[in-house]
Amino acid sequence: MKTIIAEKPSVAREIAGLVGASEKKDGYLTGNGYFVTWAFGHLIGLGMPEDYGISGFDKTALPILPNPFLLTVRKVKKNKSYAADTGALKQLKVIEQLFNRSNSIIVATDAGREGELIFRYIYEYLKCNKPFERLWISSLTEKAIKQGFHTLKDGKEFDGLYQAAQGRSRADWLVGINATQALSIAAGNGIYSLGRVQTPTLALICKRYLENKSFSVKKYWQIQLSHTKEFTDFKSLSKNRWEDKKLAEDTLKSIERNGNTATVTSVEIKTATEQPPLLFDLTGLQKEANKKLNLSAEETLNIAQSLYEKKFITYPRTGSKYIPEDVWAEIPNLVRALQDRETCKQAVSKIKWGRFNKRIVNDLRVTDHHGLLITDKIPSALNAKENSVYDMIAFRLLEALSQACIKEITDVSLQALHYDFTAKGCKVIEVGWRSIKGSFSDDDTEPVQDLPELKKGDELKIKEASVLEKKTKPPVLYTEAGLLSAMETAGKEIENEDERKALQNIGIGTPATRAAIIETLFTRNYIQREKKSLIPTEKGLQVYELVKDHKIADVAMTAEWELALQKIENNEADAKGFQKEMETYASSITNELLQTSIAQNNLPKLACPKCKSQQLIIRDKIVKCPNEVCNWVQFRNVCGVQIGITDIESLINKRKTTLIKGMKSKAGKKFDAYIVLNDKAESSFEFAKNKSYKK
């Protein structure tokens, strides 16, 4: 007998159907010489400090450097402590029995770093030594799975992948546990969660936010001229920027007095070839879905995963934008299949058969998985978001197969009086890939004008002239798409050129983990959304201020670790050396953070409004009286809104906060209200029209 272990029940059922294991049992399927079972994601993980006999946050126990690392069954929170997840224990028992009854194992967890870790941690925890083979597929279609079974690989071929996954898992533990405990002990007022990737990501958001807030916007003025030639209207703009509006207006008057004409001083025409975009990798899809559909990175990943499990697209957690040569032969079938999809029909009709662009084929640039493709199974009943994401992937394939778009760019310099002006024109010569969606510019805010034929020496009448008021723009706040780009290209933010070169193809996090990192920052209450922008909360900024000068916030260092993990994956570096380095780093960051002096005086000293005898303890989630008899408490998250320190002060001292906006009722309706305290120090809402009810 052979046991096949998948990552999820849905994938296990798919495989069971193909290998003829049709008999359902509790926790597995069987038949035709196979047991087919599944994990539920990470059933086994690294033990927590209490598994090493360290309870609470103990300064003397830091740094905690496990040797060996212990593996434990997944835990869930029960009351105030953690206990083994009963569902995980039950499934683990099933897996153990099947492994014992089998001669060998076929690993069918997701074909990537985390999928490998899920299986290996189970295998190691159960002290199993049965031989195992690896099913390595990029799609869940019947054809792909059957092909995968014909080309099963020896499990040992993936030892490098496992060591990289284990290295990542241990590094996150060493840095996360030690740094979190050290800073929380130093702070003495609540938990400050830090992490190997989450902290430099938070640093990116805070740094950009502070740059944006401290930017002083300056006004300047430019002169715009309107011209007509050969029935074509176009505009030119002064090269000069005046910081004084009156000077600009005086210049305009001088131009008008001086014949009101402009002379063409040079015309430069160049041909620009825009190659079609490559296929989406996961980060590319997440960025596009955030820009166009306003989906978060996590939402996009979940939708893509669902499309994958329904067999409509290939494996989504990919870091590649290319396909290998052997997949190229399948591409015409995929395009033909799209003719049956209403939303894609018109786009498919624009494809030039026999002239497909082969730019996406590159065996050397395919990592664990190739770029995102649709499969030949075309969906008919998806929800709106799934349809939108699917069409994004389908349209991107059609664009990638199309020819280049060729444009003629014209730069014209003009002179009016002795002031220089410029006009820019663009003419599409060959539409190429841009015909698929029919959009001719990536940035629709810059409309491109048609220019008439112009040559040096042409005199142009100025039909109209005006002074335009403009403003210098601060660095834009990160959207999720912008943050994903910054995480992907962390190396580009680095000033040292050698370091930047070394890191140019590496970022922080991996395509598979970036969404989870961003979500972690939300759950920690470190960041929040303001329209489309990501901004730090009061707590997020506080953490950033505490760690910004420490190595843990260093984007470059985290990117270097990702590089080291890649080398381990490719068997080019030693996993033990990496772990030693992480232990040394965890020790130094722990000592650094334990010495951090955290100014407690930035929190106001407030007397309890109920007993009036005790000073309130102000924490991230609650404000409470330390006297257990009094027991007065005010939660800081009210109907989905975090109440700031100034409002807490106002509530205690003036018995009323400012107007708190955007709270949500249980029915999901948004409302604005004041929080007020009555004579018994009980809080309630007060609406603008004096309606109030107890919270």
Side-chain angles (χ1 to χ4, degrees), residues 49 157 197 202 232 257 313 418 422 455 459 461 544 546 550 603 625 665:
E157 282 184 39
V197 187
L202 174 66
T232 304
R257 279 199 303 271
I313 65 166
H418 48 269
T422 59
K455 59 185 189 299
E459 291 269 322
K461 197 100 188 93
Y544 172 67
L546 295 171
H550 297 292
L603 288 175
C625 179
S665 70

Side-chain angles (χ1 to χ4, degrees), residues 248-414:
E249 287 169 342
D250 290 348
T251 306
L252 177 58
K253 282 174 190 155
S254 307
I255 290 170
E256 287 171 338
R257 279 199 303 271
N258 195 46
N260 214 16
T261 58
T263 309
V264 176
T265 54
S266 76
V267 179
E268 198 182 311
I269 299 172
K270 52 179 187 279
T271 304
T273 303
E274 283 185 339
Q275 289 296 346
L278 295 163
L279 299 173
F280 281 126
D281 62 0
L282 176 61
T283 306
L285 180 71
Q286 287 169 320
K287 288 189 321 198
E288 188 79 356
N290 182 249
K291 280 183 207 156
K292 301 279 162 64
L293 308 171
N294 204 14
L295 294 175
S296 73
E298 188 175 49
E299 278 180 291
T300 305
L301 174 57
N302 291 340
I303 291 165
Q305 185 69 22
S306 154
L307 290 171
Y308 168 66
E309 286 171 20
K310 290 173 182 167
K311 304 194 226 173
F312 296 134
I313 65 166
T314 57
Y315 188 63
R317 288 175 166 85
T318 174
S320 177
K321 299 175 181 187
Y322 295 88
I323 58 170
E325 186 71 51
D326 60 352
V327 175
W328 178 249
E330 293 174 32
I331 297 295
N333 292 337
L334 301 183
V335 177
R336 257 183 229 106
L338 279 177
Q339 289 172 328
D340 296 335
R341 184 165 168 85
E342 205 50 53
T343 48
C344 301
K345 261 184 191 163
Q346 198 183 353
V348 175
S349 71
K350 293 172 184 169
I351 281 277
K352 290 192 165 69
W353 287 93
R355 280 188 60 199
F356 282 2
N357 193 328
K358 229 178 152 180
R359 256 182 100 228
I360 55 171
V361 178
N362 188 335
D363 284 291
L364 299 174
R365 300 291 293 275
V366 175
T367 48
D368 302 343
H369 298 280
H370 56 65
L372 261 171
L373 292 172
I374 56 158
T375 65
D376 54 10
K377 186 181 173 192
I378 302 298
S380 54
L382 296 176
N383 66 39
K385 285 180 180 176
E386 285 177 329
N387 267 321
S388 300
V389 172
Y390 178 86
D391 281 344
M392 249 176 199
I393 297 164
F395 275 100
R396 176 52 69 90
L397 169 63
L398 297 175
E399 285 179 335
L401 297 173
S402 303
Q403 301 309 305
C405 170
I406 299 169
K407 294 177 176 178
E408 191 178 82
I409 310 287
T410 307
D411 282 306
V412 181
S413 297
L414 308 101

Side-chain angles (χ1 to χ4, degrees), residues 634-643 651 655-666 669-678 681-695:
Q634 170 64 47
F635 289 97
R636 286 190 60 187
N637 190 306
V638 180
C639 298
V641 174
Q642 181 77 1
I643 308 302
L651 180 66
R655 314 298 262 195
K656 184 176 183 175
T657 64
T658 58
L659 188 65
I660 312 284
K661 294 188 171 181
M663 292 189 279
K664 262 190 189 165
S665 70
K666 281 181 182 168
K669 285 188 178 172
K670 285 199 171 182
F671 68 95
D672 305 338
Y674 302 93
I675 298 172
V676 292
L677 284 184
N678 65 12
E682 298 165 328
S683 57
S684 59
F685 290 131
E686 183 185 292
F687 297 93
K689 291 176 185 168
N690 284 338
K691 293 185 230 159
S692 84
Y693 63 82
K694 279 190 184 176
K695 292 194 296 133

Side-chain angles (χ1 to χ4, degrees), residues 17 19 69 107 139 178 200 217 232 257 271 324 372 442 460 488 500 510 544 594 619 626 628:
V19 299
F69 271 92
V107 184
S139 157
N178 286 300
V217 175
T232 304
R257 279 199 303 271
T271 304
L372 261 171
D442 295 323
L460 298 171
E488 192 179 25
R500 193 166 64 239
T510 63
Y544 172 67
L594 282 172
R619 292 271 163 88
E628 284 181 22

Side-chain angles (χ1 to χ4, degrees), residues 105-244:
I105 299 161
I106 295 171
V107 184
T109 49
D110 281 356
R113 207 188 267 177
E114 289 311 296
E116 193 65 25
L117 193 67
I118 285 169
F119 165 69
R120 297 283 191 126
Y121 271 179
I122 292 171
Y123 186 80
E124 201 178 303
Y125 180 80
L126 296 176
K127 297 186 169 54
C128 183
N129 54 15
K130 299 277 169 83
F132 60 91
E133 293 173 292
R134 190 67 162 97
L135 175 73
W136 192 263
I137 53 175
S138 278
S139 157
L140 285 178
T141 59
E142 192 173 316
K143 185 180 169 190
I145 295 171
K146 279 182 175 168
Q147 210 173 338
F149 271 101
H150 283 307
T151 54
L152 287 172
K153 298 176 190 245
D154 186 332
K156 288 192 174 58
E157 282 184 39
F158 297 91
D159 284 354
L161 184 68
Y162 167 50
Q163 281 162 4
Q166 186 189 51
R168 193 275 314 147
S169 161
R170 290 177 172 184
D172 285 349
W173 195 101
L174 287 164
V175 177
I177 297 284
N178 286 300
T180 296
Q181 293 210 8
L183 188 59
S184 301
I185 289 166
N189 68 333
I191 308 284
Y192 291 85
S193 161
L194 299 179
R196 184 181 66 89
V197 187
Q198 64 158 320
T199 305
T201 306
L202 174 66
L204 283 171
I205 296 167
C206 293
K207 189 166 177 272
R208 176 62 61 87
Y209 172 78
L210 294 169
E211 282 168 359
N212 176 282
K213 285 285 157 273
S214 62
F215 185 86
S216 63
V217 175
K218 290 194 178 114
K219 286 184 181 179
Y220 64 92
W221 288 265
Q222 283 176 288
I223 297 172
Q224 183 177 269
L225 308 177
S226 299
H227 319 274
T228 300
K229 190 187 178 203
E230 296 161 2
F231 308 108
T232 304
D233 294 331
F234 65 100
K235 291 181 169 70
S236 62
L237 192 65
S238 64
K239 278 190 177 175
N240 249 32
R241 294 175 166 200
W242 286 271
E243 284 176 19
D244 181 335

